[in-house]
Amino acid sequence: MKQVQVVAAVIREGDKILATRRNYGEFKGGWEFPGGKVEVGETPQQALVRELREELHVKIVPGDLLDIVEYDYPTFHLSMRCYWATIAAGEPTLSVHDALRWLGAEEITSVAWLPADAGLVQQIGTILRSSEQG
């Protein structure tokens, strides 16, 4: 099975995280954490900075590794390194996505997440809820 290595940014502002909706390809209409493929010679963090600049026209600062998601789609295996991130400059602008939303703990399950992202959503929801309480 084909192996695909990607990175994803869990961009957090206060008690909300950024979700984007795909506007192309097989998974059009699904919600995801923004990111993309790691190019040859890039570190995951460098790929994340490049992808967010290309996709959302923002400069981000990658933070800690949140999780590594391994997911088998029907035609490929996805390995997705998910990092916390913050926006250092710019406002998210749509280019390869057709929508974006800032979601809090109570709204995080209100969108149709892509299968690989869905498992991470529960973990992030728990983190957001615990930070709201503490």
Side-chain angles (χ1 to χ4, degrees):
M1 184 177 280
K2 180 180 174 183
Q3 305 279 324
V4 179
Q5 303 282 327
V6 299
V7 289
V10 180
I11 299 173
R12 186 173 178 179
E13 282 194 7
D15 63 349
K16 296 189 182 290
I17 54 98
L18 182 66
T20 54
R21 188 172 63 195
R22 288 178 71 101
N23 190 30
Y24 61 92
E26 180 181 353
F27 301 107
K28 181 178 180 176
W31 289 82
E32 65 183 352
F33 296 107
K37 291 182 182 173
V38 178
E39 305 273 333
V40 175
E42 281 182 321
T43 67
Q45 293 90 342
Q46 289 169 331
L48 203 56
V49 168
R50 176 186 51 76
E51 285 285 349
L52 274 286
R53 183 180 62 242
E54 292 172 2
E55 289 186 4
L56 294 174
H57 309 289
V58 293
K59 179 180 180 185
I60 61 140
V61 177
D64 292 337
L65 179 66
L66 174 60
D67 203 351
I68 300 173
V69 174
E70 302 288 340
Y71 190 84
D72 286 326
Y73 281 100
T75 58
F76 64 94
H77 175 81
L78 182 75
S79 180
M80 180 170 62
R81 297 178 73 86
C82 305
Y83 291 88
W84 289 109
T86 55
I87 296 174
E91 286 292 323
T93 305
L94 298 173
S95 61
V96 299
H97 298 95
D98 65 3
L100 62 82
R101 288 184 57 192
W102 290 97
L103 303 170
E106 301 309 314
E107 307 158 296
I108 198 167
T109 58
S110 68
V111 299
W113 291 96
L114 292 177
D117 295 71
L120 191 61
V121 167
Q122 298 303 323
Q123 182 180 349
I124 293 168
T126 300
I127 292 167
L128 292 176
R129 278 188 291 282
S130 68
S131 68
E132 286 174 356
Q133 296 167 357

